[in-house]
Amino acid sequence: MHRPPVLHVAALLLFTGFSLTEAVEIKVHDNNNKTCIYAILSVNFTVVYEGNGTMENTTFTLPNSLSSNGSVCGDNKSAPLLKMNFGPGHSLSLNFSHSAGIFRGDVLTFTYNTSDTNLFPGAKNTSVKQVAVDSLMEAAPLNTVYTCRSAKAIASKEVIMVFYDVGLQALVENGTISKNESICKADMSTTMSPLTTWTASTMTPTKPPPPPIPSVGNYTLKNGSETCLLANMGLQLNLTYVEDNQTRLINIDSNSTASGYCGDQDATLVLEDMKTTIIFHFIVEQSKFFLKEVKANISLVVNGSTIPLQFNNSSLKYWQTSIGSSYMCHKEQRLRVTDQMVINTFNVWIQPFELKSGTFSRAEECSLDDDSILIPIIVGAALAVLIVIVVIAYVIGRRKSYAGYQTL
Ligand SMILES: *[C@@H]1O[C@H](CO)[C@@H](O)[C@H](O)[C@H]1NC(C)=O
Ligand SMILES: *[C@@H]1O[C@H](CO)[C@@H](O)[C@H](O)[C@H]1NC(C)=O
Ligand SMILES: *[C@@H]1O[C@H](CO)[C@@H](O)[C@H](O)[C@H]1NC(C)=O
Ligand SMILES: *[C@@H]1O[C@H](CO)[C@@H](O)[C@H](O)[C@H]1NC(C)=O
Ligand SMILES: *[C@@H]1O[C@H](CO)[C@@H](O)[C@H](O)[C@H]1NC(C)=O
Ligand SMILES: *[C@@H]1O[C@H](CO)[C@@H](O)[C@H](O)[C@H]1NC(C)=O
Ligand SMILES: *[C@@H]1O[C@H](CO)[C@@H](O)[C@H](O)[C@H]1NC(C)=O
Ligand SMILES: *[C@@H]1O[C@H](CO)[C@@H](O)[C@H](O)[C@H]1NC(C)=O
Ligand SMILES: *[C@@H]1O[C@H](CO)[C@@H](O)[C@H](O)[C@H]1NC(C)=O
Ligand SMILES: *[C@@H]1O[C@H](CO)[C@@H](O)[C@H](O)[C@H]1NC(C)=O
Ligand SMILES: *[C@@H]1O[C@H](CO)[C@@H](O)[C@H](O)[C@H]1NC(C)=O
Ligand SMILES: *[C@@H]1O[C@H](CO)[C@@H](O)[C@H](O)[C@H]1NC(C)=O
């Protein structure tokens, strides 16, 4: 008989820097009671569901009490599968692919049961739902633990999952969890930056020069093979860190990876670079779309230590545009998200809904840009009126003088 893999939620954490209170640690065991998959992770879930007439949202974290029934150790025929079951019928699972000495996360599936009144109070249309997304983890060499302490957000229509303090090893050899870490890209930059940025500037109290205007990133989301969201923009964050009351300008890398979700009534764009994850949530209301919500997770380096910051505002109304059009604004705009975080945007051209053949539709320009067009128009119109007045005055004047000459 095949014995189901056994789960251990251990109190002792193998890796440093993980928050003890929140991280969940799991070991899946094989038939010989040897560890074959190791995982440690923290996940914050936000799920939007239908309540009594309104959309409700619920937030919860991955709980400590999990079972790993349904996990598969994997071998050269079957893919390893980590399945974490919790509560009445919820689960988070990740299967791994492996080849040529590396392993990587393949498909991450979150299954949730809206009948659970603890997590989904007052839910209508109770059912078991599922979201599946690609690539939680980057490729890592076999016999290493992939670690990613930085937060990574994965958004779909109804679910946002924020993963942090993640450690994963599939195909553990001889049941011994590796001591070698494969550090994710996001962590590398945060641990490197203190060396480069702080050695020089500690000498002089002068502020570092402001960064240049951010370069414009062209971000694209696809629904299958069809482009469903286009966003060209340069982004800069203006953060006020309350501890030292200093403001900092951070440019978003124009090479940030874009992911997210396109729907008829709402769309989500997730941009991630080394230090920052920003989620833009657009919704449609009365045949207009606008930016309703911004969430950001930022690793800020202060005096050599990395401080994770979170900002969130879900009652915004920026970039309002008729559905079927795109929104354009060349001028710099300052979008206030919270008192501590403002996004400065440059050369925005965005369309989250109703793209025709994968390209931007007619653009509605921002009022700032309108002004710049309007001013020459007003000046031109005023000049034209002036010229007409001068001509009339001249004609009248000539008539008078002509009449005067005749009487002579
Ligand atoms: C499996 O190993 C753990 C220790 O790693 C031990 O506590 C447990 O009793 C073992 N279970 C079986 C069924 O051998
Ligand atoms: C996750 O949620 C917990 C508690 O709700 C919060 O303290 C923590 O800051 C959150 N972390 C992230 C990365 O969102
Ligand atoms: C749903 O809302 C309506 C009115 O808002 C109220 O009359 C009704 O009792 C509510 N039903 C439940 C199950 O809460
Ligand atoms: C989520 O719920 C909170 C509190 O109930 C509310 O303030 C917020 O607007 C909701 N967000 C969304 C996207 O519905
Ligand atoms: C999970 O496995 C345990 C024993 O290994 C068993 O008691 C339990 O019923 C299983 N749960 C499910 C949902 O299969
Ligand atoms: C698959 O693994 C088994 C042992 O688990 C080994 O005997 C066999 O040679 C492997 N096959 C390939 C194609 O690597
Ligand atoms: C969903 O939750 C309800 C209520 O807790 C429970 O009765 C039901 O069995 C759950 N469904 C699944 C598939 O686990
Ligand atoms: C992972 O699971 C998905 C569906 O759940 C499947 O399409 C995919 O092929 C699996 N990956 C591997 C490596 O087996
Ligand atoms: C696993 O055991 C084999 C044989 O004992 C050994 O050659 C190999 O190096 C071990 N691998 C690890 C990762 O410890
Ligand atoms: C981004 O798109 C604009 C037009 O919308 C184009 O001029 C620019 O070259 C593009 N940039 C890149 C890096 O593709
Ligand atoms: C950044 O924010 C501070 C305080 O809100 C403000 O004084 C400053 O002008 C802003 N700078 C830029 C470049 O947006
Ligand atoms: C973006 O990536 C391209 C190619 O990978 C590289 O040439 C370019 O320098 C990168 N730009 C930034 C701002 O990192």
Side-chain angles (χ1 to χ4, degrees):
M1 245 321 270
H2 217 78
R3 207 161 50 77
V6 185
L7 167 96
H8 284 267
V9 179
L12 183 81
L13 299 180
L14 277 169
F15 296 94
T16 53
F18 289 73
S19 50
L20 277 151
T21 45
E22 289 161 33
V24 177
E25 193 176 46
I26 302 139
K27 286 172 186 163
V28 176
H29 288 192
D30 66 9
N31 295 342
N32 304 321
N33 199 18
K34 279 187 171 167
T35 302
C36 63
I37 301 177
Y38 171 76
I40 179 168
L41 73 170
S42 295
V43 192
N44 286 4
F45 296 92
T46 303
V47 182
V48 179
Y49 66 97
E50 199 180 343
N52 182 11
T54 55
M55 293 309 283
E56 302 288 334
N57 63 39
T58 179
T59 60
F60 52 93
T61 56
L62 186 67
N64 256 296
S65 46
L66 294 168
S67 111
S68 69
N69 289 16
S71 295
V72 175
C73 283
D75 51 29
N76 51 16
K77 283 189 224 76
S78 59
L81 171 69
L82 170 65
K83 192 156 183 279
M84 296 167 270
N85 310 286
F86 58 98
H90 313 298
S91 69
L92 185 64
S93 69
L94 173 66
N95 62 1
F96 299 87
S97 60
H98 60 104
S99 62
I102 59 147
F103 72 106
R104 68 168 82 220
D106 194 23
V107 176
L108 177 79
T109 308
F110 174 48
T111 306
Y112 58 103
N113 178 3
T114 56
S115 306
D116 179 359
T117 50
N118 284 330
L119 296 184
F120 304 96
K124 214 177 111 188
N125 298 335
T126 52
S127 62
V128 175
K129 299 191 176 194
Q130 213 168 56
V131 291
V133 288
D134 290 340
S135 64
L136 168 67
M137 63 167 283
E138 298 151 19
L142 287 171
N143 292 320
T144 64
V145 178
Y146 166 83
T147 59
C148 203
R149 291 164 176 85
S150 305
K152 179 184 170 76
I154 298 179
S156 63
K157 182 181 183 183
E158 276 138 355
V159 180
I160 296 172
M161 295 177 264
V162 179
F163 289 83
Y164 55 102
D165 287 353
V166 171
L168 291 168
Q169 186 181 6
L171 302 156
V172 175
E173 214 173 286
N174 305 340
T176 314
I177 297 150
S178 179
K179 294 202 163 51
N180 298 328
E181 294 186 32
S182 294
I183 297 165
C184 68
K185 280 191 214 150
D187 286 357
M188 275 182 203
S189 70
T190 54
T191 51
M192 312 266 278
S193 28
L195 291 172
T196 50
T197 52
W198 283 93
T199 41
S201 57
T202 41
M203 302 296 292
T204 48
T206 51
K207 274 192 166 184
I213 285 178
S215 47
V216 172
N218 292 357
Y219 310 109
T220 306
L221 288 190
K222 289 196 182 249
N223 210 346
S225 62
E226 236 166 75
T227 300
C228 61
L229 181 151
L230 285 174
N232 295 355
M233 53 193 177
L235 299 172
Q236 180 178 69
L237 308 181
N238 186 353
L239 302 179
T240 307
Y241 180 50
V242 278
E243 297 293 315
D244 63 7
N245 203 28
Q246 300 262 324
T247 61
R248 289 173 174 79
L249 292 175
I250 298 171
N251 285 355
I252 299 298
D253 191 340
S254 60
N255 280 354
S256 295
T257 56
S259 59
Y261 161 81
C262 293
D264 292 338
Q265 297 299 311
D266 73 335
T268 304
L269 172 67
V270 182
L271 295 182
E272 281 178 85
D273 69 8
M274 297 290 202
K275 293 180 194 131
T276 311
T277 302
I278 308 186
I279 302 171
F280 296 91
H281 186 204
F282 299 91
I283 71 157
V284 174
E285 226 174 69
Q286 294 168 341
S287 55
K288 287 193 174 246
F289 74 78
F290 58 91
L291 176 61
K292 171 104 192 323
E293 181 170 18
V294 171
K295 279 191 185 187
N297 281 320
I298 298 153
S299 303
L300 188 69
V301 177
V302 177
N303 291 333
S305 51
T306 303
I307 292 149
L309 298 175
Q310 278 121 37
F311 304 96
N312 180 13
N313 189 336
S314 59
S315 50
L316 304 173
K317 204 158 192 174
Y318 292 125
W319 300 345
Q320 199 170 192
T321 306
S322 305
I323 196 89
S325 301
S326 59
Y327 175 85
M328 188 184 260
C329 197
H330 295 299
K331 290 279 173 77
E332 176 181 352
Q333 285 178 304
R334 298 193 168 178
L335 311 183
R336 194 192 147 275
V337 175
T338 68
D339 286 338
Q340 280 76 46
M341 185 211 176
V342 174
I343 307 180
N344 299 339
T345 65
F346 301 83
N347 288 311
V348 173
W349 195 10
I350 189 156
Q351 186 168 357
F353 301 101
E354 297 200 359
L355 275 78
K356 299 279 186 302
S357 60
T359 56
F360 282 110
S361 308
R362 191 186 67 85
E364 283 182 16
E365 299 218 18
C366 57
S367 47
L368 284 169
D369 285 358
D370 286 351
D371 282 355
S372 61
I373 295 168
L374 223 59
I375 289 164
I377 290 173
I378 291 166
V379 170
L383 272 175
V385 169
L386 206 68
I387 289 167
V388 169
I389 290 170
V390 167
V391 168
I392 290 171
Y394 173 77
V395 168
I396 291 171
R398 256 189 73 123
R399 269 208 191 150
K400 272 203 174 146
S401 60
Y402 184 69
Y405 177 80
Q406 232 181 8
T407 52
L408 255 170

